[in-house]
Amino acid sequence: MTNVPLLDLGPQNRALEAQFEAAFRDVLRSNQFIMGPRLEAFEKDCAAFLGVKHALGVSSGTDALLLALMALDVGEGDEVLLPSFTFFATAGSVARLGATPVWVDVNPHHFNLDLEDAARKVGPRTRAIMPVHLFGQSGDLDALQAFAAKHRLRVIEDAAQSMGARWKGRATMSSGDFGATSFFPSKNLGGMGDSGLVTTQDDALAERARILRVHGMQPKYFHREVGANFRMDPLQAALLHLKLPHLPEYNCARAGNAHFYHGALKGVAGIAENRPGADPAAKILLPVDFSGQGIWNQFTLRVTGGRRDALKAFLTERKIGCEIYYPIPLHRQQCFVDQKYRGFDSVPVSERLAGEVLSIPIFPELTGEQRQWVADSLADFAAGKGA
Ligand SMILES: *Cc1c(COP(=O)(O)O)cnc(C)c1O
């Protein structure tokens, strides 16, 4: 039996430990602990990496979404289309501004927003759409832009799980009015604490976000409007700056692990790829990168026939880490149930996925022995050994 954690941050950060220590010393001796050149240098390289005009470091991925919405004046009376099957922050940021989330369903194969369902749910008060490039796979950015143009909606890409993912060569975070990502430790570019990034191609929106990031202050101690403290620490920026050049190799290693799982489980009875028309007898459906340029933040199985929790117990018994992202669709969260926001009764795929999904280890530094043990265990379960 080989112990396989769902995520082990140790090897990746240990490899850069001496550089992190030097960066810490540099920041310590600079005595500049808020804003400044280290943050600006990181922002500049993030913008270049993503092919965007402006990138602003902020306090978290959640605050990145919040700041983007604020800069677009989204507030009371406005509706925002977003998936019910995502992490809480996507909807939480909208609700915190007094705006109204409208629940849109997701596609059962790639887990991203279903634009046909979004079309059914656009209303006269709809101001914006917030697609989530879930688990590291970009949604169709061309279709998204056409949809937003047709309905005159603002677009905020929640790219918290997709920094470096592309759609036909175009990076996520480069197509909307704003892009938002997170450097939470479990994301593909993981920091040593909380922080995030907001991107835009629009000079005026960038300027507005820059001012809102520091209490709406411009110039110093003059406040034209109410912002907040959404700043990213230069220490965090300096540490992440050391990891940024390695992001392509981290993402590549994750894709290598996904490729391994697909190869090892090809043709195994009871296991199929999660594509339209997959064998209905399959018990375990493997996630497919339809975009071809995803970054595999998660490798998320669908387990059919009500057997998800049984597989979770089976893997846990074998010391293989796994987790349910996400067990409760957002329209069913206690803080939202009473509001009955539009769409609450018409997101069947989101409800179904919440009962079927299970994410397994995919982090870049998985060893050959570890990933083989995971694949063997899935094959054993499919063969009925876990029954
Ligand atoms: C992680 C995440 C966020 C929030 O990021 P934080 O940095 O934790 O605030 C938002 N949306 C999605 C889809 C996420 O996965």
Side-chain angles (χ1 to χ4, degrees):
M1 193 135 41
T2 311
N3 201 338
V4 193
L6 179 60
L7 172 66
D8 183 358
L9 301 169
Q12 187 171 93
N13 286 334
R14 261 199 311 276
L16 297 171
E17 197 169 300
Q19 288 172 264
F20 290 146
E21 286 172 0
F24 171 76
R25 218 169 297 122
D26 171 57
V27 173
L28 178 70
R29 290 176 186 173
S30 77
N31 291 313
Q32 173 133 29
F33 302 128
I34 302 288
M35 309 296 274
R38 287 162 194 82
L39 176 61
E40 283 163 26
F42 175 61
E43 291 175 336
K44 188 164 161 278
D45 282 358
C46 283
F49 175 78
L50 294 165
V52 297
K53 216 163 159 194
H54 304 278
L56 279 72
V58 293
S59 30
S60 71
T62 304
D63 286 346
L65 294 170
L66 199 58
L67 179 56
L69 289 162
M70 285 170 72
L72 293 169
D73 285 313
V74 173
E76 224 156 297
D78 295 328
E79 289 183 344
V80 180
L81 300 168
L82 49 85
S84 178
F85 187 67
T86 173
F87 177 63
F88 178 77
T90 315
S93 58
V94 171
R96 266 188 66 188
L97 292 172
T100 306
V102 173
W103 309 117
V104 178
D105 217 355
V106 295
N107 178 287
H109 305 289
H110 55 64
F111 310 130
N112 277 325
L113 207 62
D114 176 353
L115 287 178
E116 281 176 30
D117 192 48
R120 285 190 284 273
K121 288 170 180 169
V122 179
R125 289 169 165 262
T126 311
R127 282 277 321 279
I129 183 166
M130 259 166 96
V132 181
H133 305 299
L134 202 69
F135 304 144
Q137 175 164 202
S138 176
D140 180 337
L141 297 179
D142 300 312
L144 174 68
Q145 282 186 308
F147 179 87
K150 179 173 171 194
H151 299 284
R152 303 215 183 135
L153 302 179
R154 296 295 207 162
V155 176
I156 299 136
E157 292 180 71
D158 183 340
Q161 302 180 9
S162 70
M163 174 127 173
R166 287 168 187 274
W167 174 265
K168 295 186 180 163
R170 243 186 319 147
T172 60
M173 303 180 72
S174 68
S175 301
D177 293 284
F178 278 107
T181 197
S182 162
F183 304 122
F184 186 81
S186 67
K187 313 294 183 178
N188 287 36
L189 182 58
M192 279 153 245
D194 279 311
S195 62
L197 193 79
V198 169
T199 57
T200 182
Q201 308 277 26
D202 185 295
D203 296 344
L205 288 178
E207 183 60 14
R208 181 101 196 270
R210 218 175 273 288
I211 294 169
L212 286 168
R213 178 171 65 171
V214 287
H215 302 287
M217 182 165 74
Q218 169 85 317
K220 205 167 187 185
Y221 304 129
F222 287 79
H223 301 263
R224 253 176 302 176
E225 58 179 330
V226 179
N229 175 356
F230 291 126
R231 294 182 298 253
M232 179 182 191
D233 293 341
L235 174 59
Q236 192 65 251
L239 298 173
L240 281 164
H241 207 166
L242 293 169
K243 294 184 87 172
L244 180 64
H246 298 280
L247 182 58
E249 102 213 15
Y250 299 154
N251 290 346
C252 208
R254 286 171 180 266
N257 290 334
H259 185 74
F260 171 83
Y261 286 144
H262 276 265
L265 296 166
K266 199 176 176 68
V268 172
I271 299 183
E273 294 186 349
N274 184 12
R275 294 178 183 277
D279 178 3
K283 295 176 190 168
I284 297 176
L285 296 169
L286 305 176
V288 178
D289 179 14
F290 294 94
S291 72
Q293 298 180 295
I295 59 158
W296 295 101
N297 180 245
Q298 299 295 342
F299 189 90
T300 304
L301 310 170
R302 283 177 63 192
V303 190
T304 61
R307 303 278 293 141
R308 191 265 312 275
D309 293 347
L311 176 58
K312 185 168 191 275
F314 181 76
L315 295 178
T316 304
E317 175 76 29
R318 290 186 169 208
K319 300 208 183 322
I320 294 171
C322 54
E323 194 52 80
I324 300 168
Y325 303 122
Y326 297 93
I328 305 176
L330 298 187
H331 66 286
R332 288 193 182 275
Q333 292 291 348
Q334 194 174 351
C335 59
F336 292 140
V337 276
D338 293 338
Q339 282 90 335
K340 295 199 177 348
Y341 291 135
R342 289 202 304 115
F344 77 95
D345 56 351
S346 56
V347 280
V349 177
S350 299
E351 302 213 335
R352 182 165 173 202
L353 289 176
E356 290 184 344
V357 288
L358 188 66
S359 298
I360 62 168
I362 191 73
F363 66 93
E365 298 79 13
L366 272 180
T367 66
E369 192 188 2
Q370 285 177 319
R371 63 190 195 181
Q372 186 67 55
W373 175 236
V374 176
D376 290 347
S377 296
L378 292 178
D380 285 348
F381 183 84
K385 288 193 191 169

